[in-house]
Amino acid sequence: MTDLSDLPPARSGRRAPAWPGVPLLVALALWAYAVRHTDVSRLDDYGLVSALHPAFWAGLAVLTTGFWFTVRDARRPGAWSAAYVLGLLVMERATQAVLYPTPLYAWAWKHEAVIDHLLTAGGLQTADQVGDMAVYDQWPGFFAAEAALQRLLGVDSAAMFMAWWPLVSSLMLLLPLLLIYRTFTEDRRLIWTAVWLFYVANWVGQDYFSPQSVAYALHVGVLAVVLRRFGRSAVRRGRPRQAVWTVVITVLIVAIVISHQLTPGMLAVCLLALCLSRRYRDWVPLATTVVIFLAWCLTAALPFLSAAMPDMIRSIGDVGANVETGYGATPTGAGAIATSWAARLLSGSVLLLAAVGVLRQRVLRHRARPLLLVAAAPLPMFAASSYGSEMIFRVLLFMLPGAAFFAAAALLPKVRTLAADAAEQEAGNRQATGSAKARRWGIGTWVPLAALLGGTLAFVPAYSGKDRINYFPPQEVALVRQLFDQAPEGSLVVAANRNYPDAYASYWNIDHYWFLDDARSHVDEIVREPAATLADDMAGVERPARAYFLLTQGQLANSEMNGQLDRAQLDRIRTSVAASPRFRLVAENGAGWLYELKQSGGAER
């Protein structure tokens, strides 16, 4: 068996000049200039892509080029490659936190509401108390930890720090990724190029303030421990140390299981795939994961699973339905379609590069076969569930650590063993070596650089092309908070969809109705007779509770760009409500409108 630990990068006795710092500093300077001169007040359907100052794109190109020529030079210390990767994370994941005055993503605001509920209620609650939201109380690990963090920091809301969560959760992945890749090679070129491609291809957006972000980092951490400490060579070095690592992964697995529904299943299939390799035929990690997962499902999570199990069983094997998007999730308009294609092409390109790397790098194909198995293991999950029409994105996410490694191998020269190099030299084949040096700055340099640069630039539209949907300006936040500050307990809030900040605020004592989630026939009825139909839907609320109709910029953007109702239809609904004597205007600003149903005039139309 070829041992890639025999393949450290060549070292030179000469000290390398510090020029790699120049493009890095230039890139960061261009980024700083760009964020100071980017206006996000009027986003179009291309999201942040069209709003960014051109200096941002120039900085990203300089950063990528500097990284490529730095990582290929064996004389450069690994610290330079690490610095470039950190620069990439700043430009990719910190840009939105710097540009936007409020946190992105309605789901992040929803998770902030769950933490607020946990702090308010002082404990977990059942479906009888909080309805469908009880599912979060059945997987409370992330929310309990964040509630503790919020109290420790002394802040009133998680919104104080959740805008920076994408950067934090991405940094959490760096160490386990390095440990995984160093298990199979000591070639710094391959390790850092794989890390770069992983971050570039991770556009799926599960790094926001969510249980998935932490559970995924723990998942990669478990794989790193298993790959490094549970192989045959590691086991032979001593059982006492093995027991310590078993305790470590048990703690990580418990944290995953109590925080997220899907990740334990993905971890189980990855560990099962590893057991198919003779090098990792240790069943302890897999058995530990399955036992803890089943124990939680049969106890704390049983209420949710009992209700959801019939639908889950029906979805098994229905691959077509499991990968298709649902109603209201179809990109509409040039910007949304371009963003969707950028994401697809980025993922497709990385997977294609990974396939090329597997075919081209025979040494790696053998030595890193366990990583190849881990990359392929999530694929059968397509047949298991639709996971709310998101299974295809989650499968891509869990394939990434392995796919990025082999994609990086496709961009770099062929890996050779020291024995092969020695045999070639003994044969006197120095001309081949000279030819290789001559090609150093040829096609083998510029074509991979073009591929790396294209993927890095494509990340921006794939990741932030929907910021018109995901960004809520301060005016919208203020309008929604005004609503919940004045809404009495038992009130009803009606909105087009849930894409607005604090959409789940006070969900334990205020009801919500998003009419675009209703049957299409009822949506059509609302479009035909907006004020009358909505007033009838809201008429069951009795004093002192009130019924409100809320329409905001975030709802308009989500409805338009996902093919629900267009702006003309939503404007017609708002105009009808504004003109109806059954409603009164409570508040409005540049980001939305808030109306209240007049309870004393129920007979009016």
Side-chain angles (χ1 to χ4, degrees):
M1 180 175 65
T2 305
D3 185 359
L4 293 190
S5 64
D6 291 336
L7 293 170
R11 299 181 185 273
S12 171
R14 295 176 298 168
R15 185 176 180 181
W19 72 260
V22 175
L24 177 60
L25 291 175
V26 169
L28 292 177
L30 288 169
W31 172 77
Y33 180 85
V35 296
R36 287 179 59 87
H37 293 82
T38 295
D39 180 14
V40 296
S41 60
R42 293 186 178 275
L43 294 175
D44 60 17
D45 285 359
Y46 291 90
L48 193 56
V49 177
S50 56
L52 282 167
H53 190 277
F56 177 88
W57 301 100
L60 202 55
V62 170
L63 184 79
T64 307
T65 305
F67 167 78
W68 179 243
F69 285 106
T70 298
V71 80
R72 281 176 57 90
D73 192 337
R75 297 175 299 165
R76 308 292 174 194
W80 281 118
S81 298
Y84 272 94
V85 168
L86 292 176
L88 176 71
L89 290 180
V90 168
M91 295 186 71
E92 282 187 344
R93 262 72 181 190
T95 298
Q96 293 167 310
V98 174
L99 286 176
Y100 297 122
T102 59
L104 294 178
Y105 302 112
W107 285 95
W109 289 87
K110 178 180 182 179
H111 296 152
E112 190 264 344
V114 175
I115 295 170
D116 185 38
H117 163 251
L118 192 60
L119 291 170
T120 302
L124 306 179
Q125 294 185 316
T126 64
D128 293 337
Q129 297 167 297
V130 289
D132 293 341
M133 294 296 290
V135 64
Y136 294 99
D137 288 46
Q138 292 165 40
W139 277 274
F142 170 82
F143 304 108
E146 295 305 320
L149 177 63
Q150 187 172 317
R151 283 182 170 172
L152 179 64
L153 297 177
V155 297
D156 296 331
S157 168
M160 301 292 291
F161 54 82
M162 67 186 187
W164 292 93
W165 200 260
L167 178 61
V168 173
S169 62
S170 296
L171 288 171
M172 290 168 58
L173 288 163
L174 184 55
L175 178 59
L177 283 173
L178 291 174
L179 292 175
I180 288 175
Y181 297 151
R182 282 181 61 85
T183 303
F184 302 105
T185 182
E186 291 185 6
D187 190 333
R188 290 199 303 268
R189 301 170 306 166
L190 181 54
I191 292 171
W192 286 107
T193 304
V195 170
W196 184 282
L197 283 174
F198 173 87
Y199 284 124
V200 164
N202 188 13
W203 61 266
V204 176
Q206 295 305 308
D207 55 359
Y208 71 102
F209 187 70
S210 65
Q212 173 74 88
S213 64
V214 176
Y216 182 66
L218 295 174
H219 164 87
V220 179
V222 172
L223 291 180
V225 173
V226 171
L227 288 170
R228 290 185 69 85
R229 300 301 177 186
F230 283 82
R232 286 189 300 175
S233 59
V235 171
R236 285 196 296 265
R237 286 196 290 266
R239 288 291 179 182
R241 187 175 297 179
Q242 205 69 11
V244 173
W245 289 113
T246 300
V247 172
V248 170
I249 66 167
T250 299
V251 172
L252 297 179
I253 292 168
V254 168
I256 293 171
V257 167
I258 67 175
S259 298
H260 196 248
Q261 301 94 331
L262 179 65
T263 306
M266 288 290 192
L267 179 60
V269 297
C270 289
L271 294 176
L272 177 61
L274 282 180
C275 289
L276 300 178
S277 170
R278 288 183 296 175
R279 275 173 270 175
Y280 292 94
R281 199 153 289 173
D282 189 331
W283 294 88
V284 171
L286 176 60
T288 303
T289 301
V290 171
V291 169
I292 296 174
F293 188 30
L294 288 178
W296 188 261
C297 290
L298 295 175
T299 53
L302 187 59
F304 169 80
L305 293 175
S306 298
M309 192 59 67
D311 289 336
M312 294 171 65
I313 293 175
R314 278 195 294 270
S315 69
I316 295 176
D318 192 357
V319 177
N322 289 347
V323 299
E324 69 181 3
T325 56
Y327 164 69
T330 303
T332 303
I337 292 174
T339 295
S340 177
W341 274 105
R344 294 177 187 179
L345 291 174
L346 177 55
S347 292
S349 298
V350 171
L351 293 177
L352 180 61
L353 280 175
V356 172
V358 171
L359 295 174
R360 180 170 174 264
Q361 301 279 19
R362 182 176 60 86
V363 174
L364 287 179
R365 187 167 68 243
H366 176 71
R367 181 68 177 93
R369 186 174 299 163
L371 194 54
L372 182 60
L373 291 173
V374 167
L379 288 172
M381 297 298 285
F382 280 132
S385 172
S386 68
Y387 202 69
S389 300
E390 291 188 359
M391 183 56 76
I392 186 171
F393 305 119
R394 305 306 174 97
V395 168
L396 286 171
L397 178 65
F398 283 90
M399 291 178 67
L400 260 185
F405 181 81
F406 286 99
L411 298 179
L412 294 167
K414 280 190 176 183
V415 174
R416 298 171 57 86
T417 63
L418 293 181
D421 287 340
E424 185 177 273
Q425 289 180 3
E426 289 177 5
N429 193 1
R430 299 185 182 275
Q431 183 178 358
T433 302
S435 300
K437 290 180 179 179
R439 292 193 301 268
R440 182 178 178 183
W441 304 105
I443 191 171
T445 297
W446 299 108
V447 171
L449 172 59
L452 194 68
L453 184 59
T456 304
L457 295 177
F459 170 85
V460 180
Y463 185 75
S464 57
K466 292 186 177 181
D467 279 7
R468 185 187 162 214
I469 294 176
N470 297 323
Y471 168 55
F472 310 115
Q475 286 181 305
E476 186 168 357
V477 176
L479 182 66
V480 176
R481 286 184 172 170
Q482 179 180 347
L483 160 62
F484 287 105
D485 285 343
Q486 72 178 42
E489 184 174 341
S491 294
L492 171 67
V493 176
V494 176
N497 53 52
R498 65 196 75 194
N499 192 62
Y500 54 94
D502 280 330
Y504 288 83
S506 302
Y507 64 82
W508 53 94
N509 57 28
I510 291 181
D511 292 328
H512 300 76
Y513 169 53
W514 300 287
F515 62 78
L516 287 178
D517 288 350
D518 213 334
R520 187 68 200 219
S521 58
H522 190 68
V523 174
D524 292 339
E525 186 179 350
I526 291 174
V527 173
R528 284 195 304 270
E529 297 183 87
T533 305
L534 289 172
D536 289 344
D537 291 340
M538 301 162 65
V541 178
E542 298 180 357
R543 290 187 182 275
R546 299 174 185 175
Y548 300 92
F549 174 69
L550 175 71
L551 188 61
T552 64
Q553 176 178 304
Q555 297 173 53
L556 292 168
N558 187 76
S559 181
E560 284 186 288
M561 293 184 66
N562 282 328
Q564 295 176 319
L565 298 181
D566 60 31
R567 189 174 188 90
Q569 292 171 310
L570 291 169
D571 282 345
R572 183 173 183 275
I573 292 173
R574 188 196 65 79
T575 302
S576 175
V577 170
S580 172
R582 301 183 67 176
F583 291 89
R584 72 177 183 89
L585 180 65
V586 176
E588 69 172 318
N589 58 34
W593 303 265
L594 176 63
Y595 295 89
E596 179 187 341
L597 180 68
K598 298 178 182 177
Q599 293 172 306
S600 60
E604 298 179 9
R605 289 277 176 151

